[in-house]
Amino acid sequence: MLIKTNADGFIHPVASDITPQAAYRRRREMLKLMATGVAGAALATWASREALALERPGKLAALAAAKSNAPGAMTMEKVTPYKDATTYNNFYEFGTDKADPAKNAGTLKTAPWTVEVDGLVKKPGKYQLEDLLKLSAQEERVYRLRCVEGWSMVIPWVGYSMSKLIEKVEPQGNAKFVEFITQADPKTMPFVGSRVLDWPYTEGLRMDEAMHPLTLLAFGMYGEVLPNQNGAPVRLVVPWKYGFKSGKSLVRIRFTDREPRTAWNKAAANEYGFYSNVNPDVDHPRWSQATERRIGEDGLFAKKRKTLMFNGYEAQVGQLYAGMDLKKNF
Ligand SMILES: Nc1nc2c(c(=O)[nH]1)N[C@H]1C(S)=C(S)[C@@H](COP(=O)(O)O)O[C@H]1N2
Ligand SMILES: [Mo]
């Protein structure tokens, strides 16, 4: 049986105006069309995406959202299984092994949660998570996430464009960069006492990068709230940059006129630059960036796939870097 509903009858994702019954019938019609060979390739992709999207994991609270219309926001590639996306993580506050965050992040206290907005901004303040959630309509976006280590995933995120928050808080004219500061609580994050990084983990974007419609403030994934190991309760997702730019468990957003230092740049400036755009032509000093391994899909001996410029988002973001030497600004 292709159509699945959870015990509560929830079909994910459904626009709030469609009843589960209506959605069920609509999908049945589509699948019938496909079986009779009437459907074209586009329809087949649509149906398989719908079938995939139905696999809501049922582990955490639902956070439903309509599919995004933002150009480039819905890759049709196969979504990484939830189990892989939640057990193979980088979240150094909980340990440096890929399996550590899933084991250790249970101690992270995600409520109450506030995000402070400050620096060169007309409306600074402390925003409660609940208020941030309500600030704009949530969308589902299926993004590739490419780690600098050479692996990638495809994740259906739930959130809204960072630009919605930036517009609301009104940066001053001299604000040129945004710094993202994440939680660093030694009581709940066991490795914040370690010297692996200079805590808190911080990241930064140029203002136009932060305002780009693809830059996502994410509260959920796979139709549910974020698991702790993936950056609960709120994180950044910048799909055309290496994964480390996407800071998890954000507590402060600061507007500034200077390029902010970043945690990885402080740790190893020759390996991690400020821009960190996914770029197959610029190798990491210790390994190539030309190919990648898709977690959960490609076996250990499977052929690696070619890494795409800007992680495949060149049409959407290429113009942000017109005239810039991306080998120098790596
Ligand atoms: N606070 C914090 N954010 C972080 C990291 C981290 O160690 N701490 N790791 C980064 C790296 S290197 C990657 S690849 C992504 C991984 O996100 P995921 O575990 O949801 O796939 O998170 C990024 N955000
Ligand atoms: Mo990463």
Side-chain angles (χ1 to χ4, degrees):
M1 164 134 158
L2 268 162
I3 309 291
K4 276 192 202 157
T5 61
N6 287 350
D8 59 358
F10 185 95
I11 297 178
H12 165 75
V14 271
S16 49
D17 55 338
I18 303 170
T19 66
Q21 270 302 319
Y24 178 88
R25 256 182 269 116
R26 198 161 56 91
R27 289 194 185 93
R28 276 260 301 241
E29 287 310 309
M30 284 295 177
L31 293 168
K32 249 195 269 168
L33 276 174
M34 283 179 66
T36 55
V38 172
L43 192 53
T45 315
W46 180 87
S48 62
R49 159 70 61 228
E50 287 290 295
L52 261 179
L54 290 177
E55 310 282 341
R56 197 195 131 200
K59 304 255 186 212
L60 298 168
L63 188 63
K67 290 171 178 50
S68 177
N69 296 320
M74 298 292 284
T75 175
M76 289 297 173
E77 286 174 282
K78 191 166 166 259
V79 166
T80 299
Y82 184 81
K83 194 166 183 303
D84 295 296
T86 55
T87 53
Y88 192 91
N89 302 103
N90 274 336
F91 200 167
Y92 276 22
E93 290 84 338
F94 295 102
T96 54
D97 192 272
K98 295 284 171 286
D100 284 344
K103 282 186 215 145
N104 300 334
T107 51
L108 178 69
K109 192 170 171 267
T110 56
W113 193 273
T114 52
V115 176
E116 183 167 12
V117 176
D118 67 343
L120 303 173
V121 66
K122 289 179 197 148
K123 293 181 180 163
K126 287 187 174 153
Y127 290 78
Q128 300 297 322
L129 185 76
E130 292 69 27
D131 297 329
L132 280 180
L133 273 163
K134 281 183 277 182
L135 190 86
S136 177
Q138 305 280 328
E139 294 179 356
E140 182 174 71
R141 299 181 175 192
V142 184
Y143 282 172
R144 290 175 219 99
L145 184 141
R146 171 41 162 102
C147 179
V148 73
E149 294 165 330
W151 49 267
S152 61
M153 298 193 192
V154 176
I155 296 183
W157 302 101
V158 179
Y160 52 76
S161 288
M162 183 70 208
S163 63
K164 302 282 183 194
L165 175 60
I166 296 178
E167 279 159 14
K168 163 106 177 159
V169 300
E170 297 179 33
Q172 294 171 16
N174 53 345
K176 297 280 183 289
F177 296 90
V178 191
E179 183 180 22
F180 299 94
I181 299 147
T182 73
Q183 175 76 303
D185 175 18
K187 290 199 292 290
T188 55
M189 299 172 132
F191 279 70
V192 163
S194 80
R195 294 210 201 149
V196 201
L197 288 172
D198 183 8
W199 314 103
Y201 188 104
T202 62
E203 259 307 335
L205 293 173
R206 215 169 57 190
M207 187 65 88
D208 59 342
E209 296 178 320
M211 286 295 290
H212 191 280
L214 286 180
T215 300
L216 190 71
L217 192 62
F219 301 89
M221 57 189 231
Y222 300 80
E224 300 182 353
V225 298
L226 286 171
N228 289 357
Q229 61 267 39
N230 293 83
V234 57
R235 71 175 290 176
L236 195 65
V237 188
V238 193
W240 70 95
K241 292 180 182 272
Y242 290 115
F244 67 86
K245 296 296 285 183
S246 296
K248 292 175 169 181
S249 306
L250 296 174
V251 292
R252 188 174 160 204
I253 298 172
R254 193 176 73 94
F255 293 82
T256 163
D257 54 356
R258 283 192 215 149
E259 185 181 288
R261 294 299 310 274
T262 65
W264 280 107
N265 184 261
K266 281 195 241 174
N270 63 321
E271 299 183 20
Y272 309 103
F274 177 79
Y275 283 93
S276 300
N277 291 313
V278 174
N279 188 342
D281 303 328
V282 177
D283 289 340
H284 183 280
R286 291 183 277 139
W287 57 81
S288 162
Q289 294 292 13
T291 60
E292 66 199 59
R293 184 169 61 92
R294 187 61 54 83
I295 297 300
E297 181 181 316
D298 299 344
L300 208 52
F301 302 104
K303 211 167 155 250
K304 288 187 178 178
R305 59 183 73 211
K306 276 203 165 119
T307 288
L308 301 174
M309 188 63 198
F310 298 113
N311 204 20
Y313 299 93
E314 182 162 21
Q316 289 78 36
V317 304
Q319 75 281 2
L320 293 177
Y321 310 100
M324 267 181 85
D325 181 348
L326 294 178
K327 291 208 163 106
K328 226 170 101 195
N329 297 285
F330 64 96

